[in-house]
C-alpha cells in the first residue's frame, strides 16, 4: 500500500502547507497527517501510525522527526528525506527571513498579543492530538487507562518521559 | 529578539554551531529544550538567560519546530545563512539516522505478535504524554474565561468533532488575537 511518487509529490505539498500552521510544533498537525495517511489514503493502519509516533517521541532529537519516521514507513530513506524537507523548508525559510527584521515597541506589543492569543489554541490542539492518538494506538479501550496513567505519571513526577513510554510498553506486553 | 549587545561577541564559527546543536540533539531524549538552555546559556554562553527566553518564545510563536527555529536564529546571529544551516544540520543529522534505524526495526519486526503488543502499549503511553503536555500548556494560560474557552474550543473542534486543522485555525486565530488584544498587559482583570 506504499504510495508512488505520483502520490508523494502532492503529499509533500500538503506537508509544506500544513507546516505553516504548525504553531507550537509538529505535534499540532499530526491529526491532519493521520487523516490523510490513514483515513483517506490507507497508506498505513491506525496502529502503525500510533506506533511510529511513539517511536519518534521516545527518540532523541526534535519531535519533528516523526515526519521522517512516517516518511520512512511510506517508502524508505529517500521518502523520509523528502517528507522531512517538505515539512521543514517553508518554516525554516520564514524564520530565517524574520531574523533579518528588527523589532521595536510596536513589535513587542504584537508579539505579546500573538503569544497570548495563540498559546491557548496550541494547548487545545496538543490535547486534541493526544486524544486522537489514544484512540489510534491499536490497544483498543485499554489505551485509555494506559494513556491516563502515563499522563498522570508525567504530570505528577519528574520522570524522564522515555521511562514512562517504556513502562507502557511493558504494560502492553502483559495485558494486551 | 535582541540583536545588539555591548560586549564583543566571542568568535563562534559554523563548526562550533554544528557541534553545539549536535550535543543538544544527542542529549535530548524526551525533549530538547532543557538541554538547549544548558548548552547555549550555561555552557557556551552565547545567549543570556533573557535572550534565550526571547529566542524560545519567538521559536514557539513561529510555525515550525520550536528548537529548529531557535537553531536558525542562533545560527543566523553568528554566521548568517551558513550558521543557520550548520546549526540545523547539527540538530538533525544524528537523530535522523537514529530514528530511521528504529523505523527500520519497526518495519521488519513491528507486526510480530509480541512486539506488536509492546508497540500498542507504547503508543498509548506516548499519547498520554502528549495529553500531559497539553495539560501543562493549558495550565500556563491566564485563568480567564476567554483563554480557557479557546483551549476547549480548539480541543473540541479538532479532537472531538475531527474538523480539519487549517479551517479551524483560520477561523479561531483571528478571534483569539482579538480577545488577546483586549486583555491588558499587566493585572489579572478582564477588560
Amino acid at each position: 500500500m506504499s504510495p508512488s511518487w505520483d502520490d508523494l509529490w502532492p503529499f509533500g505539498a500538503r506537508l509544506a502547507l500544513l507546516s505553516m500552521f504548525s504553531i507550537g510544533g509538529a505535534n499540532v498537525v499530526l491529526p491532519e497527517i493521520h487523516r490523510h495517511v490513514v483515513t483517506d489514503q490507507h497508506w498505513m493502519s491506525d496502529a502503525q501510525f500510533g506506533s511510529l509516533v511513539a517511536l519518534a517521541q521516545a527518540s532523541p532529537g526534535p519531535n519533528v522527526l516523526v515526519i521522517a519516521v512516517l516518511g520512512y514507513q511510506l517508502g524508505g530513506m529517500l521518502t523520509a528525506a523528502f517528507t522531512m524537507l517538505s515539512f521543514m523548508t517553508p518554516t525554516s525559510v520564514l524564520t530565517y527571513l524574520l531574523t533579518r527584521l528588527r523589532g521595536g515597541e510596536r513589535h513587542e506589543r504584537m508579539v505579546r498579543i500573538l503569544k497570548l492569543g495563540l498559546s491557548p489554541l496550541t494547548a487545545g490542539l496538543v490535547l486534541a492530538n493526544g486524544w486522537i492518538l489514544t484512540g489510534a494506538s491499536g490497544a483498543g479501550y485499554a489505551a485509555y487507562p494506559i494513556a491516563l496513567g502515563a499522563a498522570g505519571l508525567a504530570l505528577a513526577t519528574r520522570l524522564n518521559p522515555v521511562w514512562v513510554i517504556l513502562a507502557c510498553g511493558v504494560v502492553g506486553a502483559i495485558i494486551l | 529578539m535582541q540583536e545588539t549587545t555591548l560586549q564583543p561577541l566571542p568568535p563562534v564559527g559554523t563548526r562550533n554551531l554544528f557541534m553545539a546543536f549536535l550535543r543538544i540533539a544527542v542529549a535530548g531524549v524526551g525533549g530538547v529544550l532543557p538541554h538547549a538552555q544548558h548548552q547555549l546559556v550555561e555552557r557556551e554562553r552565547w545567549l543570556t538567560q533573557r535572550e534565550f527566553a526571547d529566542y524560545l518564545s519567538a521559536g514557539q510563536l513561529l510555525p515550525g519546530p520550536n528548537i529548529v527555529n531557535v537553531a536558525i536564529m542562533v545560527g543566523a546571529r553568528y554566521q548568517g545563512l551558513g550558521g543557520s544551516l550548520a546549526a540545523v544540520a547539527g540538530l538533525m543529522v544524528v537523530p535522523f539516522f537514529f530514528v530511521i534505524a528504529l523505523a527500520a526495526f519497526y518495519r521488519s519486526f513491528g507486526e510480530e505478535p509480541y512486539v506488536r503488543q509492546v508497540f500498542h502499549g507504547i503508543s498509548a503511553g506516548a499519547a498520554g504524554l502528549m495529553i500531559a503536555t497539553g495539560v501543562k500548556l493549558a495550565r500556563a494560560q491566564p485563568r480567564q474565561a476567554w483563554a480557557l474557552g479557546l483551549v476547549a474550543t480548539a480541543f473540541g473542534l479538532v479532537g472531538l468533532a475531527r474538523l480539519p486543522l487549517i479551517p479551524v485555525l483560520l477561523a479561531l486565530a483571528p478571534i483569539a488575537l482579538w480577545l488577546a488584544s483586549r486583555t491588558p498587559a499587566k493585572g489579572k482583570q478582564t477588560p
Side-chain angles (χ1 to χ4, degrees):
Chain A
M1 279 199 273
S2 294
S4 68
W5 280 95
D6 285 343
D7 295 320
L8 284 174
W9 286 113
F11 181 54
R14 183 179 289 259
L15 288 175
L17 175 67
L18 270 178
S19 75
M20 296 305 281
F21 291 86
S22 65
I23 295 157
N27 289 337
V28 165
V29 301
L30 283 179
E32 215 43 47
I33 295 175
H34 175 264
R35 180 203 307 278
H36 190 71
V37 304
V38 178
T39 314
D40 292 349
Q41 302 288 342
H42 306 290
W43 286 338
M44 61 180 79
S45 71
D46 244 356
Q48 285 174 325
F49 187 89
S51 300
L52 292 167
V53 169
L55 267 189
Q57 262 206 317
S59 305
N63 293 336
V64 65
L65 284 163
V66 65
I67 306 291
V69 174
L70 293 170
Y72 184 84
Q73 178 79 13
L74 293 180
M77 191 72 112
L78 190 62
T79 313
F82 170 74
T83 52
M84 206 55 192
L85 284 175
S86 305
F87 192 79
M88 282 184 59
T89 308
T91 59
S92 299
V93 170
L94 177 73
T95 301
Y96 181 75
L97 293 177
L98 288 176
T99 62
R100 305 281 120 195
L101 297 178
R102 276 163 200 265
E105 250 169 64
R106 266 193 55 156
H107 174 82
E108 292 234 322
R109 179 174 145 76
M110 210 173 73
V111 166
R112 191 188 75 84
I113 291 174
L114 278 172
K115 207 161 138 181
L116 197 62
L118 295 183
S119 61
L121 296 183
T122 304
L125 294 175
V126 170
L127 283 171
N129 180 41
W131 179 253
I132 291 174
L133 287 178
T134 307
S137 68
Y141 289 113
Y144 292 90
I146 297 176
L148 203 68
L153 264 181
L155 288 170
T157 68
R158 306 196 56 175
L159 224 55
N160 189 317
V162 173
W163 297 120
V164 179
I165 289 185
L166 290 179
C168 293
V170 174
V171 172
I174 296 168
I175 69 163
L176 293 176
Chain B
M1 275 176 289
Q2 285 153 334
E3 294 271 316
T4 49
T5 37
L6 293 174
Q7 297 142 323
L9 297 171
V12 177
T14 47
R15 181 195 290 258
N16 304 107
L17 287 162
F18 180 86
M19 288 310 296
F21 279 94
L22 185 88
R23 276 194 290 266
I24 291 170
V26 173
V29 179
V32 280
L33 291 177
H35 301 285
Q37 192 267 348
H38 174 75
Q39 186 73 27
L40 298 173
V41 178
E42 284 155 33
R43 201 179 146 167
E44 302 283 1
R45 294 168 193 260
W46 290 343
L47 303 174
T48 65
Q49 188 59 53
R50 173 70 211 272
E51 284 171 327
F52 179 76
D54 284 349
Y55 275 51
L56 187 57
S57 64
Q60 284 168 332
L61 272 184
L62 293 167
N66 305 337
I67 185 65
V68 175
N69 286 336
V70 170
I72 291 168
M73 290 185 275
V74 174
R77 168 168 164 165
Y78 289 104
Q79 292 289 334
L81 186 57
S84 294
L85 291 172
V88 174
L91 192 63
M92 304 302 293
V93 68
V94 172
F96 179 83
F97 287 105
F98 185 87
V99 101
I100 291 297
L102 285 180
F105 169 83
Y106 178 78
R107 206 154 74 161
S108 309
F109 302 105
E111 301 297 320
E112 305 283 326
Y114 201 64
V115 182
R116 206 175 136 146
Q117 290 162 356
V118 172
F119 268 109
H120 290 174
I122 283 180
S123 314
L129 291 180
M130 207 83 81
I131 292 174
T133 305
V135 170
K136 281 182 200 161
L137 288 171
R139 273 188 193 158
Q141 302 310 313
R143 294 294 149 92
Q144 292 172 6
W146 69 268
L148 301 177
L150 284 174
V151 175
T153 311
F155 171 72
L157 292 179
V158 173
L160 302 178
R162 305 284 169 110
L163 295 179
L165 174 76
I166 294 178
V168 168
L169 266 181
L170 289 178
L172 284 185
I175 300 171
L177 296 179
W178 177 71
L179 289 168
S181 71
R182 294 172 67 236
T183 307
K186 272 157 199 155
K188 302 235 157 154
Q189 280 87 29
T190 27

